[in-house]
Amino acid sequence: MSFYVVQFLTGLASAASLFLVASGLSIIFGVTRIVNFAHGAFYMLGAYMAFTLTERLSGTVGFWGGIVLAALAVAAVGAAVEMILLRRIYKSPELFQLLATFGLTLMVEDLVVILWGPDDLLGRRAPGFRGAIDVFGQNLPSYDLFLIVIGPVVLGALWLLFHRTRWGVLVRAATQDRDMVAALGVNQKWLFTSVFAAGVFLAALGGALQIPRDAVNHTMDLRIIVDVFVVVVIGGLGSITGAFAAAVLVSELNAFGILVFPKISIILVFLVMAAVLIVRPWGLFGKAETAPRRTPGSAVRPWRPLTFAERVAVALVFAAAASLPLFGGNYAISVATEIVIFALFAASLHFLMSAGGLASFGHAAYFGLGSYGVALLAKLAGAPMLVCLLAGPLLGLAGAVVFGFFAVRLSGVYFAMLTLAFAQIAWSVAFQWVEVTGGDNGLLGIWPARLVATPARFYWLSLAISAALVVALRVMVFSPFGYALRATRDSALRGEAIGIDGKRVQWIAFVIAGTIAAVAGALFAYLKGSVFPDSLGISLSVDGLVMVLLGGVETVSGAIVGAIVYKALNIWLVSQTELSKLVLGGLIIVLVVAFPRGIVGMAELVVDRLRRRAQLSASPPSAALAQDIESAK
Amino acid sequence: MSGTAPVLEVEGLTKSYGGVHAVRGVSFSVAQGEIVALIGPNGAGKTTCFNMLNGQIPPDAGRVRLLGEDTTDCPPRVVWRRGVGRTFQITATFSTMTVRENIQVALASHASRTFNLWRSMPDFARRDADALLGLVDMAGYADRPCGELAYGDLKRLELAVALANNPRLLLMDEPTAGMAPKERVALMRLVARIARERTIGVLFTEHDMDVVFEHAERVLVLNRGQLIAEGTPASVRRDPQVRAIYLGEGLLYEGGQHEGANG
Ligand SMILES: Nc1ncnc2c1ncn2[C@@H]1O[C@H](COP(=O)(O)OP(=O)(O)OP(=O)(O)O)[C@@H](O)[C@H]1O
Ligand SMILES: [Mg+2]
């Protein structure tokens, strides 16, 4: 009994930081409509800053002062970020906002390592809360009690702030109706900056308050952000009460999940999240988004199938790619194999994003499930390669069927957060279920059949499978199903009114994309001869997103070009610098802010302009003018 | 069901939002091939009514029957399959497709080909699509991107889309809103002609009384969610309550809601 009480209290204590970060995220979202992926990074920065400041400043006042100063300093950084970066992307599609703030996260991760080193740092204990107290014969750190109190105190303070100050009332008004605030003549820029800084302050405070409890390290940002996403999905974005209730719920589920499913405690959180989503898709305290947001892919010229000449060109490129082993060495061939596999992965994600308008932040889950499917069949059942390649991806398919069922109930940022959370759950299972998956050590010794055991042959196999599936994806884009998918993206209302079951169409698209990603993962397992939890991880999911973005979201097959360029760049970059995250993060931000069309998108635009100019000079001026006016409408 | 059942029967349809009674106990019917106008000031509940008729929002109470069959709790896609075409007050089209493709999607759905993964859509039922476009005078627009059409053209495109399933009933929410007066008259004449040729019942809302009185065989008047008058255009015109709402005396008549809801 007493054990359960202590477990419960520990859960409550963990809820405090989670609530601080989640409420900050919610406040920022309410006003700016940006889901700030970098919130975890600000949390981490808060912890590092607090570590340094509390080391420097002595005594009780020094400690608590250090905590608050740290949060304020990070809030100032947040304000600067808002003014320099976010102001440029308030009008961009959600995907771009998520990606830009993710790029920021990557940069902060490397910066933190530069400034504080890669090792875990143990912070000072809080003065006055060093001991433990006795709860029915069990020890509970007194600092945990302090945290248990802090949660409701902050909730109360926020309530006062939002109901008793002019600023707070403005923020609430802006959350409800942004145009109204603009009409009131309030300086929006200042409001946005202050709201962002306030949200960041809460995140940094959450991080700073963790230091007497947990070691500070450079991976804590992703751990917290995933939990926070789960919290806001359950509680409802934009609701502070929801953030509080869900933070407590999630923390308790984590605390007790360990007792129920010791190996895969995260399952319990997943089950609860799934249940909430079925009953209340917008979270316990959330409201349905009324105005549909712009999704990338909706500002394009109509797509068209390739012309005959273009098909010939593609066939020539394919032939050139297939001839690589005739002149390339083994290293070149294995790099090329990897690129081909990732092109397939990126193409599957692109299908979902461009035709479906569904930006998954957890597409690696299905890639990784495909890898594990192959590895488990090969290692546990000793199945031959052909069987593994055919049956392994079924694990990815199964994952996509289950996760996709829930994910397509949501859209926009909710969809992105949910897919990310699902991927993280899959990752945790692979990481924690050591008996089956080998945990961190992965599964080793997955070798291809003798027939394709040389690098060249395996390359050809990968190239053939990838090319066939990419062609299949293109056929699907131009099939009735692909049109139904695009129809649902363009106007779900109109789609329903002409008999299209949008959710089912999206679900099937999700399963198709997941299964094709799983095939890529299956090939990858054979290429590397091993599988690790990384293959389900966030960084691979984001790699996929960057490939799509680099190639051009609004194109039909740009992701392939994006994958080739990005993967080659990445391999080169890792060989050149230790700070690849810093460079990658910067690249993402530049792409989003300055180059949102991507390579293929830009190329199409240029070709289009040239063509139009040629038409202009070929036709008599009056007709050309009329045509230009027509198309400018 | 039977050949003579009304195409649409509505009984006691009710919907409220919080305290606002958007629609209160509305009952009426539309005979096959009949053209009926649903009129009323802004915020009267016309769009809310339409949304309940095609299953977009569930009514709080009341029943909807199409050709004798109850469709009250059916989603819009099912209602569509029973033969109801709908146009929206604010046009809803597929802006990234060409004009023809907008029609082809509807035709493919009508032919139950939505889940076909391999056929080429650009070649699907091209003739039928072009015929529908010709019907609404848009044959020349087939390859234009839908996203760059003028608003009036979008309204006509919506009409063509709504005709793609050979409907028995057209629900048209302000089909001519945002059009020039000449265009309005032309479009409604077109609708009336098609409806007569194909025996399609039409229920439409409209603020332009000239359009209403020229084409409607029967007029229903909605005010504050309630049906206050019903009859031929001439009789409705004489109705004192209706005159009160429409002829400025409305200032004396409890003031009406002017919230200008869209949807
Ligand atoms: N989703 C909703 N939530 C709350 N109130 C609503 C909602 N939809 C409609 N209403 C209210 O219901 C009433 C009827 O609205 P409706 O849109 O049906 O009117 P309408 O007759 O179509 O008006 P208009 O001529 O302006 O299109 C209005 O008072 C409106 O404010
Ligand atoms: Mg209306």
Side-chain angles (χ1 to χ4, degrees):
Chain A
M1 179 60 211
S2 60
F3 173 73
Y4 291 105
V5 173
V6 170
Q7 199 71 9
F8 177 76
L9 291 175
T10 311
L12 273 188
S14 320
S17 280
L18 201 51
F19 163 61
L20 286 175
V21 185
S23 62
L25 189 84
S26 261
I27 293 168
I28 292 174
F29 176 81
V31 176
T32 67
R33 298 284 137 175
I34 282 192
V35 170
N36 178 28
F37 209 127
H39 227 56
F42 289 124
Y43 164 86
M44 176 168 77
L45 267 185
Y48 272 104
M49 282 289 221
F51 170 83
T52 301
L53 288 173
T54 53
E55 291 287 303
R56 298 277 158 81
L57 308 171
S58 56
T60 308
V61 177
F63 180 87
W64 297 109
I67 298 269
V68 175
L69 269 183
L72 285 173
V74 178
V77 174
V81 164
E82 197 273 345
M83 290 191 277
I84 296 168
L85 173 62
L86 297 187
R87 278 186 188 177
R88 294 170 204 281
I89 56 171
Y90 280 132
K91 298 228 156 61
S92 304
E94 288 153 345
L95 163 70
F96 289 9
Q97 299 170 345
L98 272 168
L99 270 175
T101 48
F102 182 81
L104 205 61
T105 307
L106 284 179
M107 296 179 80
V108 170
E109 277 183 16
D110 262 0
L111 285 175
V112 156
V113 173
I114 296 172
L115 292 173
W116 281 281
D119 298 326
D120 284 14
L121 302 175
L122 282 174
R124 244 174 90 191
R125 312 292 297 275
F129 296 95
R130 294 217 165 93
I133 55 158
D134 183 278
V135 180
F136 304 121
Q138 300 255 347
N139 273 339
L140 181 76
S142 55
Y143 189 71
D144 276 12
L145 273 190
F146 167 76
L147 288 179
I148 291 173
V149 175
I150 270 288
V153 166
V154 171
L155 181 63
L158 286 175
W159 190 90
L160 285 177
L161 184 67
F162 286 124
H163 288 82
R164 292 283 180 271
T165 68
R166 182 179 141 73
W167 181 82
V169 173
L170 274 178
V171 169
R172 278 197 303 140
T175 304
Q176 251 138 43
D177 184 354
R178 287 209 285 166
D179 303 331
M180 196 191 80
V181 176
L184 285 177
V186 173
N187 185 342
Q188 284 227 35
K189 278 192 171 167
W190 179 84
L191 187 70
F192 278 35
T193 309
S194 63
V195 164
F196 194 80
V200 170
F201 174 83
L202 286 171
L205 187 64
L209 286 172
Q210 276 303 87
I211 59 164
R213 216 169 169 241
D214 270 330
V216 182
N217 68 53
H218 60 98
T219 60
M220 58 196 287
D221 55 342
L222 288 186
R223 254 186 300 137
I224 191 95
I225 199 71
V226 172
D227 277 351
V228 164
F229 282 176
V230 171
V231 164
V232 293
V233 164
I234 292 180
L237 252 183
S239 161
I240 293 173
T241 323
F244 184 76
V248 170
L249 183 66
V250 168
S251 301
E252 292 302 345
L253 286 172
N254 277 330
F256 286 96
I258 302 211
L259 308 179
V260 186
F261 303 104
K263 287 293 171 215
I264 38 179
S265 52
I266 194 136
I267 292 285
L268 201 59
V269 174
F270 167 63
L271 292 177
V272 169
M273 187 165 75
V276 168
L277 284 175
I278 290 177
V279 185
R280 291 189 60 97
W282 308 102
L284 293 175
F285 293 80
K287 276 184 301 198
E289 277 282 280
T290 40
R293 299 282 308 276
R294 198 159 82 83
T295 53
S298 53
V300 281
R301 280 151 288 122
W303 289 342
R304 55 175 180 75
L306 293 181
T307 60
F308 180 73
E310 286 164 337
R311 280 179 202 190
V312 171
V314 169
L316 287 177
V317 171
F318 178 77
S323 65
L324 175 86
L326 304 182
F327 49 84
N330 274 354
Y331 176 71
I333 294 174
S334 82
V335 167
T337 312
E338 197 165 328
I339 290 179
V340 163
I341 291 171
F342 278 99
L344 180 61
F345 172 61
S348 71
L349 177 61
H350 191 203
F351 174 72
L352 198 58
M353 285 172 63
S354 65
L358 299 166
S360 168
F361 266 63
H363 203 54
Y366 314 101
F367 181 93
L369 283 174
S371 294
Y372 273 98
V374 161
L376 292 174
L377 279 173
K379 301 300 289 183
L380 303 184
M385 180 177 181
L386 185 65
V387 175
C388 290
L389 266 189
L390 287 175
L394 295 182
L395 192 61
L397 183 146
V401 166
V402 175
F403 291 158
F405 175 79
F406 297 103
V408 299
R409 288 164 170 263
L410 306 181
S411 56
V413 285
Y414 282 89
F415 179 85
M417 289 190 293
L418 192 62
T419 46
L420 176 71
F422 282 149
Q424 211 50 15
I425 285 163
W427 177 86
S428 307
V429 172
F431 191 77
Q432 292 182 345
W433 202 6
V434 180
E435 289 83 348
V436 175
T437 63
D440 210 8
N441 297 322
L443 295 166
L444 310 177
I446 305 147
W447 302 120
R450 181 150 327 137
L451 186 64
V452 289
T454 69
R457 287 182 177 179
F458 189 73
Y459 169 71
W460 279 321
L461 177 74
S462 305
L463 184 65
I465 292 179
S466 299
L469 287 175
V470 166
V471 170
L473 280 171
R474 259 199 94 98
V475 168
M476 275 187 254
V477 166
F478 290 104
S479 74
F481 176 78
Y483 273 81
L485 186 60
R486 283 163 60 194
T488 304
R489 178 200 69 195
D490 281 4
S491 170
L493 180 70
R494 168 50 70 198
E496 270 286 329
I498 56 166
I500 295 171
D501 186 346
K503 292 292 166 217
R504 172 167 300 180
V505 167
Q506 289 183 331
W507 187 25
I508 292 175
F510 194 96
V511 172
I512 291 172
T515 308
I516 292 182
V519 172
L523 288 170
F524 192 65
Y526 278 111
L527 174 68
K528 294 288 167 183
S530 55
V531 179
F532 299 100
D534 282 356
S535 66
L536 305 137
I538 295 182
S539 54
L540 185 61
S541 290
V542 172
D543 280 354
L545 287 167
V546 177
M547 290 175 200
V548 172
L549 191 65
L550 188 61
V553 206
E554 306 197 333
T555 62
V556 185
S557 302
I560 297 176
V561 175
I564 295 169
V565 173
Y566 176 76
K567 203 65 205 170
L569 199 69
N570 199 356
I571 291 170
W572 177 77
L573 205 62
V574 170
S575 71
Q576 296 294 309
T577 166
E578 298 270 279
L579 303 174
S580 55
K581 282 187 193 165
L582 195 65
V583 181
L584 176 60
L587 172 76
I588 294 176
I589 292 175
V590 169
L591 269 178
V592 167
V593 174
F595 199 48
R597 281 173 191 277
I599 297 171
V600 178
M602 279 306 267
E604 282 180 356
L605 193 74
V606 170
V607 170
D608 216 49
R609 289 227 176 108
L610 290 179
R611 204 172 276 165
R612 204 164 274 188
R613 196 162 297 165
Q615 273 174 5
L616 268 180
S617 51
S619 51
S622 63
L625 190 65
Q627 188 187 21
D628 226 39
I629 292 169
E630 286 273 68
S631 55
K633 266 195 213 167
Chain B
M1 278 270 134
S2 73
T4 54
V7 64
L8 174 70
E9 288 167 282
V10 181
E11 242 175 66
L13 217 51
T14 300
K15 180 84 195 177
S16 46
Y17 292 106
V20 183
H21 297 288
V23 173
R24 272 189 280 185
V26 167
S27 306
F28 63 90
S29 68
V30 177
Q32 300 200 12
E34 190 187 17
I35 301 182
V36 178
L38 179 64
I39 64 171
N42 288 115
K46 304 180 294 291
T47 299
T48 308
C49 244
F50 272 47
N51 285 343
M52 289 189 282
L53 295 183
N54 87 319
Q56 212 156 287
I57 54 175
D60 296 341
R63 310 238 55 98
V64 178
R65 267 192 296 278
L66 282 174
L67 292 163
E69 280 187 71
D70 196 306
T71 60
T72 313
D73 298 315
C74 297
R77 56 176 184 275
V78 173
V79 175
W80 180 80
R81 291 210 182 278
R82 300 264 173 92
V84 177
R86 160 135 201 212
T87 69
F88 294 95
Q89 185 168 349
I90 295 171
T91 55
T93 52
F94 308 129
S95 58
T96 67
M97 299 180 194
T98 65
V99 169
R100 183 191 291 117
E101 285 167 346
N102 266 270
I103 313 269
Q104 283 172 313
V105 177
L107 288 172
S109 173
H110 184 49
S112 302
R113 292 287 184 280
T114 296
F115 294 99
N116 182 313
L117 297 170
W118 53 90
R119 264 188 90 147
S120 162
M121 187 69 145
D123 301 329
F124 183 89
R126 252 180 121 92
R127 282 245 189 95
D128 296 348
D130 287 347
L132 278 167
L133 286 175
L135 197 61
V136 297
D137 266 347
M138 289 187 69
Y141 293 73
D143 290 312
R144 292 269 294 268
C146 169
E148 56 180 57
L149 290 187
Y151 197 68
D153 295 335
L154 282 176
K155 288 272 183 188
R156 279 191 290 158
L157 173 59
E158 268 212 316
L159 173 61
V161 169
L163 289 170
N165 62 336
N166 286 323
R168 310 301 311 140
L169 174 69
L170 275 180
L171 297 175
M172 306 187 75
D173 198 354
E174 306 205 6
T176 70
M179 289 176 130
K182 255 192 203 160
E183 277 187 308
R184 293 178 178 213
V185 173
L187 181 79
M188 267 329 279
R189 284 198 181 139
L190 179 70
V191 171
R193 201 193 76 218
I194 297 170
R196 298 226 160 85
E197 280 169 14
R198 307 184 171 198
T199 332
I200 302 173
V202 177
L203 181 67
F204 71 105
T205 71
E206 183 57 68
H207 284 295
D208 183 338
M209 288 307 128
D210 293 339
V211 171
V212 171
F213 292 128
E214 182 181 343
H215 295 289
E217 294 162 19
R218 205 146 52 83
V219 180
L220 309 167
V221 187
L222 204 59
N223 189 33
R224 305 182 141 213
Q226 278 175 312
L227 218 49
I228 58 160
E230 174 178 358
T232 62
S235 73
V236 163
R237 223 176 204 162
R238 285 192 300 271
D239 188 297
Q241 282 199 60
V242 179
R243 294 179 79 90
I245 299 169
Y246 276 99
L247 302 179
E249 296 165 45
L251 296 174
L252 299 174
Y253 184 81
E254 292 179 77
Q257 294 154 303
H258 287 270
E259 272 153 75
N262 49 32

